[in-house]
Amino acid sequence: MPDFSTVEDTLFVPMLGRIYASENFPHILQDKKAVELKEKLPKKIKGQDTQTQYTLIAGAVRSANMDRHIRDFLKRNSDGIIVELGCGLETAFYRNDNGKALWYEVDLPDVIAYRRHLLGTQERESVIATDAFSEDWIRRIRSEHPYAPILVTASGFFYFFEQEKVFRLFRKLKKYGPIQIVFDTVNTKGLHRMGKYMKQVGHPDAAVHFCVDSASDLADTVGARLLTEEPYYAHTEKRGLRFITSMTMRISDRFQMVKMIQIDLNN
Protein backbone atom coordinates (compact mmCIF):
# COMPACT_ATOMS: atom_id res chain seq x y z
CA MET A 1 0.00 0.00 0.00
CA PRO A 2 1.37 3.47 -0.87
CA ASP A 3 2.43 5.91 1.86
CA PHE A 4 -0.57 8.23 1.55
CA SER A 5 -0.70 11.81 2.78
CA THR A 6 -2.93 12.69 5.74
CA VAL A 7 -5.94 13.57 3.58
CA GLU A 8 -5.41 10.73 1.09
CA ASP A 9 -5.27 8.23 3.95
CA THR A 10 -8.92 8.99 4.76
CA LEU A 11 -9.99 7.04 1.65
CA PHE A 12 -10.53 3.92 3.80
CA VAL A 13 -13.06 5.62 6.12
CA PRO A 14 -16.07 5.54 3.75
CA MET A 15 -15.15 2.04 2.55
CA LEU A 16 -15.38 0.71 6.12
CA GLY A 17 -18.75 2.41 6.49
CA ARG A 18 -20.09 0.90 3.27
CA ILE A 19 -18.98 -2.57 4.32
CA TYR A 20 -20.51 -2.17 7.78
CA ALA A 21 -23.85 -0.99 6.42
CA SER A 22 -23.96 -3.68 3.75
CA GLU A 23 -23.40 -6.41 6.32
CA ASN A 24 -25.67 -5.02 9.04
CA PHE A 25 -28.08 -2.45 7.58
CA PRO A 26 -28.55 -3.20 3.87
CA HIS A 27 -31.74 -1.12 3.88
CA ILE A 28 -29.43 1.91 4.30
CA LEU A 29 -26.86 0.84 1.71
CA GLN A 30 -26.11 -2.38 -0.12
CA ASP A 31 -22.63 -2.30 -1.66
CA LYS A 32 -21.68 -5.77 -2.88
CA LYS A 33 -18.43 -4.55 -4.43
CA ALA A 34 -17.24 -3.05 -1.14
CA VAL A 35 -17.96 -6.32 0.67
CA GLU A 36 -16.13 -8.21 -2.06
CA LEU A 37 -13.04 -6.05 -1.44
CA LYS A 38 -13.09 -6.50 2.32
CA GLU A 39 -10.37 -9.15 2.44
CA LYS A 40 -8.15 -7.16 0.08
CA LEU A 41 -7.93 -4.12 2.35
CA PRO A 42 -4.98 -3.60 4.71
CA LYS A 43 -5.33 -5.65 7.89
CA LYS A 44 -4.80 -2.59 10.06
CA ILE A 45 -6.57 0.62 9.07
CA LYS A 46 -6.39 3.84 11.08
CA GLY A 47 -9.52 4.33 13.18
CA GLN A 48 -10.79 0.83 12.58
CA ASP A 49 -11.02 0.19 16.33
CA THR A 50 -12.21 3.64 17.39
CA GLN A 51 -15.16 4.19 15.08
CA THR A 52 -18.68 4.20 16.46
CA GLN A 53 -21.83 2.95 14.79
CA TYR A 54 -22.63 6.56 13.99
CA THR A 55 -19.35 7.29 12.21
CA LEU A 56 -19.61 4.07 10.20
CA ILE A 57 -23.20 4.70 9.16
CA ALA A 58 -22.43 8.34 8.35
CA GLY A 59 -20.00 7.16 5.67
CA ALA A 60 -22.55 4.77 4.21
CA VAL A 61 -25.26 7.43 4.19
CA ARG A 62 -23.00 9.72 2.18
CA SER A 63 -22.80 7.08 -0.55
CA ALA A 64 -26.55 6.40 -0.36
CA ASN A 65 -27.22 10.12 -0.76
CA MET A 66 -24.89 10.38 -3.73
CA ASP A 67 -26.57 7.33 -5.27
CA ARG A 68 -29.95 9.09 -5.20
CA HIS A 69 -28.57 12.13 -6.98
CA ILE A 70 -26.69 10.04 -9.54
CA ARG A 71 -29.73 7.92 -10.35
CA ASP A 72 -31.95 10.98 -10.65
CA PHE A 73 -29.45 12.60 -13.01
CA LEU A 74 -29.19 9.45 -15.14
CA LYS A 75 -32.97 9.16 -15.37
CA ARG A 76 -32.97 12.56 -17.07
CA ASN A 77 -29.65 12.09 -18.91
CA SER A 78 -29.25 8.38 -19.60
CA ASP A 79 -26.13 8.91 -21.74
CA GLY A 80 -24.65 11.63 -19.53
CA ILE A 81 -21.32 11.70 -17.74
CA ILE A 82 -20.60 11.11 -14.06
CA VAL A 83 -17.37 12.58 -12.69
CA GLU A 84 -16.26 11.59 -9.20
CA LEU A 85 -13.83 14.12 -7.72
CA GLY A 86 -11.57 12.73 -5.02
CA CYS A 87 -12.93 9.30 -5.89
CA GLY A 88 -10.72 7.33 -3.50
CA LEU A 89 -12.13 3.80 -3.33
CA GLU A 90 -15.75 4.78 -3.99
CA THR A 91 -17.69 2.05 -5.80
CA ALA A 92 -20.62 4.13 -7.06
CA PHE A 93 -20.15 2.81 -10.60
CA TYR A 94 -21.01 -0.72 -9.48
CA ARG A 95 -24.14 0.44 -7.65
CA ASN A 96 -25.53 2.89 -10.19
CA ASP A 97 -24.28 2.22 -13.71
CA ASN A 98 -27.13 2.22 -16.22
CA GLY A 99 -25.22 0.58 -19.06
CA LYS A 100 -25.00 3.82 -21.08
CA ALA A 101 -23.38 6.58 -19.06
CA LEU A 102 -19.67 7.35 -19.05
CA TRP A 103 -17.84 7.51 -15.72
CA TYR A 104 -14.65 9.37 -14.87
CA GLU A 105 -12.92 9.01 -11.51
CA VAL A 106 -10.47 11.75 -10.55
CA ASP A 107 -7.85 11.64 -7.79
CA LEU A 108 -4.13 12.08 -7.16
CA PRO A 109 -1.75 9.65 -8.89
CA ASP A 110 -0.92 7.44 -5.89
CA VAL A 111 -4.61 7.05 -5.01
CA ILE A 112 -5.48 6.23 -8.61
CA ALA A 113 -2.68 3.65 -8.74
CA TYR A 114 -4.01 1.95 -5.61
CA ARG A 115 -7.57 2.14 -6.93
CA ARG A 116 -6.49 0.45 -10.15
CA HIS A 117 -4.79 -2.27 -8.11
CA LEU A 118 -7.95 -3.01 -6.11
CA LEU A 119 -10.73 -2.28 -8.59
CA GLY A 120 -9.30 -2.15 -12.08
CA THR A 121 -11.55 -0.33 -14.57
CA GLN A 122 -14.71 -1.34 -16.35
CA GLU A 123 -16.09 -0.58 -19.79
CA ARG A 124 -17.21 3.09 -19.97
CA GLU A 125 -15.20 3.84 -16.82
CA SER A 126 -12.01 5.94 -16.93
CA VAL A 127 -9.64 7.16 -14.25
CA ILE A 128 -7.76 10.46 -14.37
CA ALA A 129 -4.71 10.89 -12.15
CA THR A 130 -4.56 14.62 -11.45
CA ASP A 131 -5.32 17.34 -8.94
CA ALA A 132 -9.10 17.76 -8.75
CA PHE A 133 -8.66 21.54 -8.54
CA SER A 134 -6.80 21.75 -11.85
CA GLU A 135 -8.61 22.02 -15.16
CA ASP A 136 -6.82 19.00 -16.62
CA TRP A 137 -9.68 16.58 -16.07
CA ILE A 138 -12.47 18.80 -17.37
CA ARG A 139 -10.42 19.79 -20.43
CA ARG A 140 -9.92 16.11 -21.24
CA ILE A 141 -13.59 15.24 -20.78
CA ARG A 142 -14.80 18.19 -22.84
CA SER A 143 -12.32 17.43 -25.62
CA GLU A 144 -13.82 13.93 -25.82
CA HIS A 145 -17.47 14.92 -25.17
CA PRO A 146 -18.02 18.61 -25.95
CA TYR A 147 -21.75 18.83 -25.22
CA ALA A 148 -22.66 15.97 -22.88
CA PRO A 149 -24.38 16.89 -19.60
CA ILE A 150 -22.10 16.25 -16.63
CA LEU A 151 -22.80 15.51 -13.00
CA VAL A 152 -19.77 16.06 -10.76
CA THR A 153 -19.89 14.36 -7.38
CA ALA A 154 -17.60 15.37 -4.52
CA SER A 155 -18.20 12.83 -1.79
CA GLY A 156 -16.57 13.72 1.53
CA PHE A 157 -14.06 15.80 -0.40
CA PHE A 158 -14.42 19.57 -0.04
CA TYR A 159 -14.15 19.53 3.77
CA PHE A 160 -10.36 19.58 3.66
CA PHE A 161 -9.97 22.71 1.54
CA GLU A 162 -10.42 26.44 2.05
CA GLN A 163 -13.71 27.90 0.89
CA GLU A 164 -12.18 30.17 -1.72
CA LYS A 165 -10.31 27.27 -3.33
CA VAL A 166 -13.58 25.37 -3.74
CA PHE A 167 -15.35 28.47 -5.07
CA ARG A 168 -12.58 29.05 -7.62
CA LEU A 169 -13.11 25.53 -8.91
CA PHE A 170 -16.84 26.17 -9.31
CA ARG A 171 -16.18 29.37 -11.23
CA LYS A 172 -13.63 27.70 -13.52
CA LEU A 173 -16.05 24.91 -14.39
CA LYS A 174 -18.76 27.35 -15.48
CA LYS A 175 -17.09 27.84 -18.85
CA TYR A 176 -17.24 24.12 -19.72
CA GLY A 177 -20.88 23.67 -20.68
CA PRO A 178 -23.71 21.93 -18.80
CA ILE A 179 -22.34 20.85 -15.41
CA GLN A 180 -24.06 20.12 -12.12
CA ILE A 181 -22.20 19.49 -8.87
CA VAL A 182 -23.49 17.55 -5.86
CA PHE A 183 -21.56 17.41 -2.60
CA ASP A 184 -21.91 16.93 1.12
CA THR A 185 -20.88 19.63 3.55
CA VAL A 186 -21.40 20.97 7.05
CA ASN A 187 -22.54 24.31 8.40
CA THR A 188 -20.51 26.31 10.93
CA LYS A 189 -21.85 24.28 13.86
CA GLY A 190 -21.12 21.05 12.06
CA LEU A 191 -17.59 22.17 11.23
CA HIS A 192 -16.79 22.42 14.93
CA ARG A 193 -17.91 18.80 15.38
CA MET A 194 -15.92 17.54 12.39
CA GLY A 195 -12.70 17.69 14.38
CA LYS A 196 -14.16 15.20 16.87
CA TYR A 197 -15.42 13.04 14.00
CA MET A 198 -11.98 12.94 12.36
CA LYS A 199 -10.43 11.81 15.65
CA GLN A 200 -13.00 9.02 15.98
CA VAL A 201 -12.19 7.73 12.50
CA GLY A 202 -8.47 7.80 13.23
CA HIS A 203 -7.41 10.99 11.42
CA PRO A 204 -6.94 13.77 14.01
CA ASP A 205 -4.39 15.53 11.76
CA ALA A 206 -6.78 15.90 8.81
CA ALA A 207 -7.79 19.55 9.23
CA VAL A 208 -11.23 20.55 7.93
CA HIS A 209 -12.05 24.00 6.61
CA PHE A 210 -14.98 24.10 4.18
CA CYS A 211 -18.52 24.75 5.40
CA VAL A 212 -21.75 26.20 3.97
CA ASP A 213 -24.35 27.90 6.13
CA SER A 214 -26.56 28.96 3.20
CA ALA A 215 -26.58 27.07 -0.09
CA SER A 216 -28.48 29.91 -1.78
CA ASP A 217 -25.74 32.35 -0.77
CA LEU A 218 -23.14 29.95 -2.13
CA ALA A 219 -25.02 29.68 -5.43
CA ASP A 220 -25.25 33.48 -5.70
CA THR A 221 -21.55 33.87 -4.92
CA VAL A 222 -20.39 31.54 -7.69
CA GLY A 223 -23.15 32.41 -10.17
CA ALA A 224 -24.93 29.07 -10.02
CA ARG A 225 -28.52 27.89 -9.58
CA LEU A 226 -29.39 26.03 -6.42
CA LEU A 227 -31.11 22.72 -7.16
CA THR A 228 -31.27 21.06 -3.74
CA GLU A 229 -30.24 21.67 -0.15
CA GLU A 230 -31.38 18.96 2.23
CA PRO A 231 -30.50 17.52 5.65
CA TYR A 232 -27.97 14.71 5.37
CA TYR A 233 -30.12 12.00 7.01
CA ALA A 234 -33.48 13.07 5.55
CA HIS A 235 -33.79 9.88 3.48
CA THR A 236 -32.16 7.47 5.94
CA GLU A 237 -34.35 4.75 7.42
CA LYS A 238 -33.17 4.47 11.02
CA ARG A 239 -34.71 1.07 11.75
CA GLY A 240 -32.46 -1.11 13.90
CA LEU A 241 -29.90 1.57 14.72
CA ARG A 242 -28.79 2.22 18.28
CA PHE A 243 -30.68 4.97 20.08
CA ILE A 244 -27.61 7.22 20.31
CA THR A 245 -26.97 6.80 16.59
CA SER A 246 -30.49 7.71 15.48
CA MET A 247 -30.68 10.55 18.01
CA THR A 248 -27.42 12.03 16.75
CA MET A 249 -28.78 11.86 13.20
CA ARG A 250 -31.97 13.66 14.21
CA ILE A 251 -30.06 16.40 16.02
CA SER A 252 -27.80 16.83 13.01
CA ASP A 253 -30.78 17.20 10.68
CA ARG A 254 -32.64 19.49 13.07
CA PHE A 255 -29.80 22.02 12.92
CA GLN A 256 -28.68 21.13 9.37
CA MET A 257 -25.21 20.44 10.71
CA VAL A 258 -24.52 18.15 7.74
CA LYS A 259 -26.29 18.55 4.43
CA MET A 260 -26.40 17.64 0.76
CA ILE A 261 -26.20 20.42 -1.84
CA GLN A 262 -26.61 20.27 -5.60
CA ILE A 263 -26.03 23.26 -7.86
CA ASP A 264 -26.26 23.89 -11.60
CA LEU A 265 -23.28 25.90 -12.83
CA ASN A 266 -25.02 26.86 -16.08
CA ASN A 267 -28.03 28.62 -14.70
Side-chain angles (χ1 to χ4, degrees), residues 27-29 61 64-65 68-69 228-238 249 253 260:
H27 59 279
I28 293 177
L29 182 76
V61 169
N65 283 336
R68 286 188 299 101
H69 287 278
T228 57
E229 179 183 22
E230 60 187 17
Y232 190 75
Y233 300 104
H235 298 271
T236 304
E237 185 181 343
K238 301 170 181 64
M249 289 177 172
D253 280 359
M260 298 296 301

Side-chain angles (χ1 to χ4, degrees), residues 13-169:
V13 174
M15 173 67 84
L16 293 177
R18 297 200 307 277
I19 293 171
Y20 176 79
S22 298
E23 293 180 336
N24 298 278
F25 301 95
H27 59 279
I28 293 177
L29 182 76
Q30 179 64 262
D31 191 332
K32 295 179 181 179
K33 191 64 177 179
V35 174
E36 177 185 316
L37 293 172
K38 182 178 179 178
E39 299 305 318
K40 297 181 180 181
L41 299 178
K43 298 304 180 185
K44 188 63 177 177
I45 296 174
K46 288 182 181 179
Q48 195 169 17
D49 300 325
T50 58
Q51 287 210 56
T52 64
Q53 184 185 73
Y54 174 76
T55 61
L56 288 164
I57 291 295
V61 169
R62 177 187 295 129
S63 291
N65 283 336
M66 287 295 178
D67 288 355
R68 286 188 299 101
H69 287 278
I70 290 171
R71 290 169 185 167
D72 180 66
F73 177 82
L74 293 180
K75 283 180 182 177
R76 292 177 283 107
N77 307 276
S78 62
D79 55 351
I81 294 174
I82 306 296
V83 180
E84 297 178 79
L85 288 189
C87 61
L89 299 178
E90 177 57 69
T91 46
F93 174 87
Y94 298 89
R95 300 191 304 271
N96 301 292
D97 180 51
N98 65 354
K100 297 180 180 179
L102 298 176
W103 293 68
Y104 289 84
E105 283 104 17
V106 180
D107 215 317
L108 295 174
D110 50 356
V111 175
I112 289 296
Y114 188 61
R115 179 185 177 88
R116 280 184 180 274
H117 169 69
L118 281 182
L119 288 163
T121 55
Q122 307 300 312
E123 186 180 359
R124 292 175 295 96
E125 181 189 25
S126 302
V127 293
I128 303 178
T130 190
D131 180 353
F133 290 93
S134 75
E135 293 182 62
D136 296 344
W137 59 271
I138 188 60
R139 286 195 191 107
R140 171 181 160 179
I141 294 171
R142 277 302 179 217
S143 69
E144 297 172 357
H145 312 283
Y147 308 111
I150 295 174
L151 176 67
V152 175
T153 69
S155 182
F157 181 62
F158 289 144
Y159 297 102
F160 306 105
F161 304 97
E162 297 291 346
Q163 184 181 74
E164 189 50 42
K165 185 171 186 176
V166 178
F167 285 4
R168 282 199 301 270
L169 174 64

